[in-house]
């Protein structure tokens, strides 16, 4: 059956019904405006829908709609009965919809149209029958009224039931006859009851006096209320029966569900037990895997690496021909990746590095992540250390290939330490320790790859001891300051001093700066030491400036570490040192090496400008040895440029190899900077620098760095440092390389 037939049927009913309504309204438009009819129509719209009675568990609804239609027919004719049927159906549908009755699309219009069609059919049939039977047109006799109402009610019942059965057939393909018997036969009561009520009402209106109408109305009202109460009681009883049936059905359903639930629980219990056993087996496997593997890279972890090394050490002791080499690797400056790009990117970098390590190895080799950015590799079946170095260098080159990650171009390098197998090793920790020592040496010397030796171990242990002792050097009063004079090369007067740090170890003695300064840098101790230096030098200079009028303009130069420059506390530390000492800011000169200043140029520029606001002087140290960018150099607010000693020492006795000096001095002058030359050790170097226009100088020719008391004595005794004839401090026979490579402190 065509699925669209019910829709077509609805559309046809609506169109025909509207036509019937329109034609009936046009034919009796004048009579439809009479007040008596309008009162009846208002009763049909406002009151009648609310008087309907519904019997539970049946399709029977006792309403007054049919009574009003029949009464209209008796009083005003068939045309207005069609109009009344349409309007009353609209009102009744709206009332039901407001009471929450679910309705399909076009529910109101379809029912109203169907009511007008049924009324029109009833009117047509009645017209035909009345002409055949010769009924009284005026309907004044009881026989005529009864016959009229009988024909109308019977016709309306047959028409409405036929339309309803036909629609049900089109919608569900149910037999018309079956539908008519089950659903339509019971509604005949409403038509016939309505016809009887319409006849009584018609008689009262036309033939009874007012008293009789009132008495009849009151009686009918009591009958209606009694009937309504009876139907309500019937509905309540039916509701109780339905509730009891529902409770019984619910009880039976619950029992059935309970039985099914118990059966299901038993089944699920068996399944759950099986799943639990499987999960336990998998968890055990996962736990074993997690205990031996790194969760990020899926490489072996430190424990698994230790197990492998323990077996290899045992096998090597039994058969020295079974050789192996351990590589200890860490990623350079990995912390910068985490700090600048975030830990998520950092984790991905570690994963990429791990994959590259694996690709470079054979099946018998092992790679493990032992923590943070540190990895270890076991190379097997390599007969010599040289072959292990070849593999290590290949890994170094491979890991250095740049790659893109989340829109960032990243390039990483590694430090690799190699520890060959040796009979002295008894535990994995020992060979990993030595590979780690070699890795630190490779990082310190920037070699990329380094092989362990016992000398390296001794140096490492010494370094570890120095780092531990350096942490307590300040509180033990082992640190002291030496001061090297800085003089004017034009008139020889003292400008100030460069403050240089010395460490006199209580057991070892004097430790050269080249040994302990890198340790302080790597361990982070350089920052608290720098704060101590600032406090000591500022306080000392403040005292010296009070000696005489000639010393009140002395300055002190303090070297600032790159680690200290990276922090945000540098400006605060300098302000605190000046405040505690009472030293004028322009008496303090801060020296930054060229490499440190250019490492993070934008950050350096920002910090230097903050320092200039304080009023301190700024100097760029070791100029020419780093990787200066002239595009940044002119933006750095330096007051002084210090020429590195290597360019001064390169000058010959007759002034040869002085081109670089000339260039640097000319550049500084163009940038409006003063120039200091360090490492002046010969008179020829001094004369050349003076001729080139260098402003200031320092070096062994002028004076070695002096302790506080000797420096103070020189302030009193040596108002002029030039010429050098007969000066006791200058000793040409003394090797010039003693302090030639001193670091910045």
């Amino acid at each position: 059956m065509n699925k669209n037939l019910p829709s077509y049927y609805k559309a046809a009913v609506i169109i025909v019904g509207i036509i019937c309504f329109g034609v009936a309204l046009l034919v009796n438009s004048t009579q439809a405006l009479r007040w008596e009819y309008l009162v009846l129509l208002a009763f049909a719209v406002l009151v009648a829908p609310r008087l309907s009675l519904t019997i539970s568990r049946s399709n029977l609804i006792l309403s007054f709609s049919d009574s009003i239609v029949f009464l209209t027919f008796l009083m005003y004719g068939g045309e207005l009965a069609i109009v009344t049927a349409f309007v009353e159906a609209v009102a009744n549908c709206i009332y039901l919809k407001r009471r929450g009755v679910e309705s399909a699309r076009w529910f109101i219009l379809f029912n109203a149209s169907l009511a007008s069609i049924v009324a029109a059919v009833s009117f047509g049939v009645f017209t035909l029958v009345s002409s055949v039977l010769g009924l009284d047109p005026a309907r004044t006799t009881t026989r005529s009224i009864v016959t009229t109402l009988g024909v109308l009610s019977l016709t309306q019942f047959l028409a409405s039931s036929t339309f309803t059965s036909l629609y049900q057939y089109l919608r569900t393909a149910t037999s018309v006859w079956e539908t008519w018997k089950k659903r339509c036969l019971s509604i005949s009561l409403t038509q016939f009851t309505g016809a009887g009520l319409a006849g009584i009402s018609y008689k009262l209106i036309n033939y009874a006096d007012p008293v009789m109408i009132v008495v009849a109305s009151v009686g009918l009202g009591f009958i209606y209320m009694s009937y309504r109460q009876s139907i309500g009681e019937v509905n309540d009883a039916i509701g109780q029966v339905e509730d009891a049936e529902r409770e019984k059905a619910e009880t039976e359903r619950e029992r059935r569900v309970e039985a099914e639930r118990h059966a299901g629980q038993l089944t699920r219990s068996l399944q759950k037990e099986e799943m639990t056993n499987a999960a336990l087996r998998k968890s055990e496997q996962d736990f074993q895997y997690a205990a031996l593997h790194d969760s990020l890279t899926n490489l072996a972890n430190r424990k698994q690496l230790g197990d492998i090394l323990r077996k290899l050490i045992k096998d090597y002791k039994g058969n020295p021909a079974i050789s192996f080499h351990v590589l200890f690797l860490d990623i350079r400056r990995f912390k910068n990746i985490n700090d600048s790009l975030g830990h998520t990117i950092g984790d991905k970098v570690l994963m990429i590095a791990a994959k590259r390590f694996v690709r470079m190895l054979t099946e018998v080799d092992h790679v493990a992540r032992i923590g943070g950015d540190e990895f270890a590799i076991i190379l097997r079946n390599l007969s010599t250390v040289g072959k292990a170095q070849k593999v290590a260098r290949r890994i170094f080159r491979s890991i250095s290939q740049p790659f893109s990650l989340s829109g960032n171009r990243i390039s990483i390098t590694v430090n690799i330490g190699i520890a060959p197998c040796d009979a002295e090793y008894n535990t994995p920790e020992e060979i990993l320790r030595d590979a780690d020592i070699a890795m630190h040496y490779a990082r310190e010397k920037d070699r990329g790859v380094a092989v362990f030796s016992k000398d390296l171990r001794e140096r490492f242990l010494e370094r570890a001891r120095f780092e531990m002792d350096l942490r307590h050097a300040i509180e033990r009063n082992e640190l002291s300051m030496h001061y090297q004079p800085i003089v004017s090369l034009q008139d020889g007067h003292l400008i100030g001093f460069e403050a240089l740090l010395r460490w006199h170890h209580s057991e070892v003695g004097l430790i050269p700066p080249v040994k302990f300064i890198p340790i302080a840098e790597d361990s982070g101790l350089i920052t608290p030491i720098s704060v101590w230096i600032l406090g000591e030098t500022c306080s000392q200079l403040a005292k010296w400036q009070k000696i005489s009028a000639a010393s009140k303009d002395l300055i002190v130069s303090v070297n600032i570490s790159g680690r200290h420059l990276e922090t945000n506390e540098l400006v605060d530390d300098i302000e605190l040192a000046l405040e505690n000492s009472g030293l004028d800011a322009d008496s303090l000169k801060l020296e930054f090496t060229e490499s440190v200043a250019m490492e993070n140029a934008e950050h350096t520029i920002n910090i230097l400008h903050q320092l200039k606001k304080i009023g301190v002087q700024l100097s760029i140290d070791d100029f020419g040895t780093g990787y200066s960018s002239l595009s940044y150099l002119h933006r750095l607010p330096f007051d002084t440029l210090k020429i590195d000693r290597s360019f001064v020492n390169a000058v010959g006795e007759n002034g040869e190899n002085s081109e670089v000096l000339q260039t640097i001095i000319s550049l500084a002058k163009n940038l409006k900077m003063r120039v200091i030359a360090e490492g002046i050790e010969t008179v020829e170097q001094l004369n050349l620098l003076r001729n080139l226009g260098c402003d200031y100088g320092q070096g062994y020719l002028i004076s070695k760095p002096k302790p506080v008391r000797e420096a103070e004595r020189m302030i009193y005794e040596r108002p002029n440092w030039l010429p050098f004839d007969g000066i006791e401090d200058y000793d040409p026979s003394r090797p010039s390389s003693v302090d030639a490579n001193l670091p910045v402190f």
Side-chain angles (χ1 to χ4, degrees):
M1 183 175 290
N2 193 335
K3 294 181 179 180
N4 294 322
L5 284 178
S7 299
Y8 295 153
Y9 178 79
K10 279 186 178 181
V13 168
I14 291 172
I15 292 172
V16 174
I18 291 175
I19 292 173
C20 293
F21 171 74
V23 171
L25 187 61
L26 289 175
V27 171
N28 273 336
S29 59
T30 302
Q31 191 173 1
L33 296 176
R34 291 174 57 186
W35 69 269
E36 297 93 338
Y37 174 71
L38 293 177
V39 170
L40 181 62
L41 193 62
F43 180 84
V45 172
L46 301 176
V47 180
R50 292 166 173 78
L51 298 178
S52 300
L53 300 175
T54 302
I55 299 178
S56 299
R57 303 188 72 176
S58 71
N59 296 324
L60 187 59
I61 299 177
L62 299 179
S63 69
F64 292 87
S65 58
D66 295 318
S67 300
I68 296 172
V69 173
F70 294 150
L71 183 61
T72 305
F73 190 91
L74 293 175
M75 295 182 65
Y76 304 107
E79 293 84 356
L80 287 184
I82 297 172
V83 173
T84 302
F86 186 90
V87 173
E88 189 276 336
V90 170
N92 201 36
C93 290
I94 292 174
Y95 175 74
L96 292 176
K97 197 168 185 179
R98 288 181 177 177
R99 293 189 61 183
V101 176
E102 294 185 2
S103 57
R105 192 179 181 185
W106 307 108
F107 168 72
I108 296 176
L109 195 56
F110 175 76
N111 282 296
S113 300
L114 183 61
S116 64
I117 292 174
V118 170
V121 170
S122 300
F123 176 54
V125 171
F126 172 76
T127 303
L128 180 63
V129 171
S130 62
S131 63
V132 174
L133 299 178
L135 296 176
D136 180 12
R139 290 181 283 277
T140 56
T141 65
T142 301
R143 175 179 175 276
S144 177
I145 293 172
V146 171
T147 304
T148 300
L149 292 174
V151 172
L152 290 175
S153 60
L154 182 60
T155 305
Q156 185 153 334
F157 162 68
L158 293 174
S160 61
S161 61
T162 301
F163 278 110
T164 301
S165 301
L166 181 60
Y167 174 71
Q168 191 68 17
Y169 167 74
L170 295 175
R171 193 167 67 89
T172 63
T174 305
S175 169
V176 174
W177 174 246
E178 292 296 327
T179 301
W180 190 86
K181 286 194 302 180
K182 291 181 180 179
R183 302 186 59 180
C184 299
L185 189 60
S186 60
I187 66 173
S188 62
L189 179 62
T190 61
Q191 273 85 13
F192 295 120
T193 303
L197 188 60
I200 296 172
S201 301
Y202 181 74
K203 277 287 188 179
L204 289 172
I205 293 171
N206 287 283
Y207 303 109
D209 55 29
V211 176
M212 184 180 294
I213 293 175
V214 170
V215 172
S217 298
V218 172
L220 290 174
F222 277 111
I223 293 173
Y224 171 77
M225 295 302 295
S226 299
Y227 192 64
R228 186 183 186 92
Q229 183 177 358
S230 299
I231 291 179
E233 293 174 353
V234 170
N235 289 338
D236 290 342
I238 293 174
Q240 293 176 359
V241 172
E242 290 177 343
D243 291 341
E245 291 178 351
R246 279 196 297 270
E247 290 178 2
K248 181 180 179 181
E250 183 65 21
T251 302
E252 293 178 354
R253 188 189 68 81
E254 289 178 354
R255 289 177 180 174
R256 184 174 63 256
V257 169
E258 186 70 16
E260 294 174 352
R261 187 174 66 84
H262 284 304
Q265 283 180 343
L266 180 59
T267 303
R268 286 192 297 273
S269 296
L270 296 174
Q271 293 174 347
K272 190 177 294 184
E273 183 177 354
E274 179 61 29
M275 292 171 61
T276 301
N277 292 334
L280 286 174
R281 289 192 295 271
K282 186 176 184 305
S283 297
E284 183 179 359
Q285 295 171 356
D286 293 343
F287 180 76
Q288 291 175 351
Y289 184 87
L292 298 174
H293 291 80
D294 174 58
S295 60
L296 179 64
T297 61
N298 287 325
L299 296 177
N301 60 12
R302 181 182 289 271
K303 183 182 183 308
Q304 185 178 0
L305 179 71
D307 294 341
I308 297 171
L309 283 175
R310 195 171 289 107
K311 184 177 185 304
L312 288 174
I313 292 171
K314 181 179 179 181
D315 293 344
Y316 179 77
K317 288 182 179 295
N319 182 9
I322 304 175
S323 63
F324 65 94
H325 298 77
V326 175
L327 276 57
F328 198 105
L329 309 90
D330 85 326
I331 299 176
R332 295 180 183 177
R333 301 181 181 274
F334 181 72
K335 183 177 182 298
N336 293 344
I337 295 176
N338 275 337
D339 293 343
S340 59
L341 301 179
H343 289 274
T344 301
I345 297 295
D347 289 345
K348 292 181 180 179
V349 169
L350 292 175
M351 294 167 67
I352 292 173
K355 290 179 180 178
R356 290 187 176 184
F357 292 148
V358 172
R359 285 201 299 266
M360 298 299 296
L361 304 177
T362 65
E363 294 181 356
V364 297
D365 299 329
H366 303 277
V367 58
R369 181 186 177 210
I370 56 179
D373 60 344
E374 295 179 340
F375 296 82
I377 295 175
I378 301 175
L379 300 178
R380 303 182 63 178
N381 301 333
L382 296 179
S383 57
T384 65
V385 176
K387 292 182 179 180
Q389 285 180 288
K390 278 180 144 183
V391 175
R393 291 192 184 98
R394 192 163 67 247
I395 292 173
F396 181 85
R397 289 191 298 270
S398 173
I399 203 68
S400 300
Q401 297 298 319
F403 55 91
S404 295
L405 191 60
S406 300
N408 301 289
R409 186 167 179 80
I410 298 174
S411 180
I412 58 175
T413 56
V414 293
N415 303 301
I416 305 176
I418 304 174
C421 57
D422 195 284
E424 73 170 0
Y425 295 127
N426 295 310
T427 64
E429 289 74 20
E430 293 174 350
I431 192 169
L432 285 173
R433 175 203 61 200
D434 290 348
D436 189 13
I437 291 173
M439 183 273 295
H440 278 86
Y441 181 75
R443 180 169 61 188
E444 178 185 340
K445 299 300 182 181
D446 197 22
R447 291 186 176 181
V449 179
V451 179
F452 170 78
S453 67
K454 293 184 179 180
D455 290 339
L456 286 182
R457 183 189 298 164
E458 292 176 1
R459 290 180 55 184
F460 181 81
L461 294 175
E462 180 186 62
R463 181 187 179 95
R465 178 190 175 187
F466 283 167
E467 179 179 338
M468 188 181 341
D469 292 344
L470 189 58
R471 294 182 182 276
H472 307 285
I474 295 177
E475 61 188 61
R476 294 172 181 169
N477 295 320
E478 295 179 352
L479 299 182
S480 63
M481 300 305 302
H482 283 208
Y483 296 89
Q484 185 174 33
I486 302 173
V487 302
S488 170
L489 297 186
Q490 304 308 315
D491 57 18
H493 75 276
L494 182 65
I495 300 299
F497 298 91
E498 179 179 5
L500 300 169
L501 181 65
R502 296 293 182 262
W503 182 17
H504 194 282
H505 194 280
S506 58
E507 298 177 7
V508 180
L510 187 64
I511 300 177
V514 292
K515 281 193 173 183
F516 73 83
I517 292 300
I519 295 174
E521 290 274 4
D522 292 342
S523 63
L525 294 172
I526 195 67
T527 299
I529 291 176
S530 297
V531 173
W532 179 84
I533 292 173
L534 286 168
E536 287 291 312
T537 54
C538 289
S539 298
Q540 186 60 61
L541 184 63
K543 295 176 183 177
W544 285 344
Q545 286 180 342
K546 297 175 183 178
I547 291 176
S548 65
S551 64
K552 67 181 181 64
D553 293 327
L554 290 178
I555 65 170
V556 63
S557 294
V558 178
N559 295 282
I560 300 300
S561 162
R563 282 289 188 92
H564 206 174
L565 180 61
E566 290 175 357
T567 67
N568 295 323
E569 289 80 22
L570 175 60
V571 177
D572 295 336
D573 293 338
I574 292 170
E575 288 181 331
L576 182 61
L578 293 172
E579 180 182 351
N580 292 339
S581 64
L583 185 68
D584 292 337
D586 60 356
S587 297
L588 176 63
K589 179 179 288 187
L590 305 176
E591 294 191 7
F592 301 88
T593 64
E594 180 185 12
S595 299
V596 167
M598 295 301 175
E599 185 171 349
N600 188 347
E602 292 298 337
H603 174 74
T604 301
I605 292 171
N606 179 41
I607 296 297
L608 295 184
H609 279 292
Q610 294 183 48
L611 294 173
K612 288 299 293 181
K613 289 181 181 180
I614 297 175
V616 299
Q617 299 187 53
L618 303 175
S619 176
I620 184 168
D621 195 9
D622 296 341
F623 186 80
T625 62
Y627 44 91
S628 292
S629 171
L630 295 181
S631 63
Y632 282 107
L633 184 61
H634 78 280
R635 295 174 56 194
L636 298 170
F638 287 113
D639 304 291
T640 307
L641 185 150
K642 180 178 281 190
I643 302 174
D644 185 70
R645 68 179 66 248
S646 61
F647 299 113
V648 176
N649 293 335
V651 176
E653 292 183 0
N654 298 318
E656 60 269 18
N657 301 325
S658 63
E659 294 81 2
V660 175
L661 285 178
Q662 298 177 39
T663 302
I664 294 175
I665 293 173
S666 176
L667 175 63
K669 297 295 184 182
N670 289 331
L671 293 174
K672 303 295 188 296
M673 295 184 190
R674 295 283 187 177
V675 184
I676 301 177
E678 65 177 352
I680 302 174
E681 299 183 359
T682 67
V683 175
E684 290 78 14
Q685 294 169 355
L686 172 65
N687 291 332
L688 176 64
L689 290 168
R690 294 181 69 182
N691 292 334
L692 291 177
C694 182
D695 299 295
Y696 311 116
Q698 65 185 94
Y700 279 8
L701 181 64
I702 300 170
S703 174
K704 296 184 296 182
K706 300 291 185 181
V708 173
R709 289 186 179 181
E710 293 187 36
E712 186 173 323
R713 179 178 60 82
M714 289 190 296
I715 294 175
Y716 283 102
E717 297 177 356
R718 301 183 64 174
N720 192 293
W721 298 75
L722 299 176
F724 294 94
D725 295 337
I727 293 180
E728 61 184 4
D729 289 320
Y730 175 55
D731 183 5
S733 65
R734 184 181 180 89
S736 61
S737 61
V738 174
D739 277 351
N741 294 318
L742 286 180
V744 295
F745 290 95

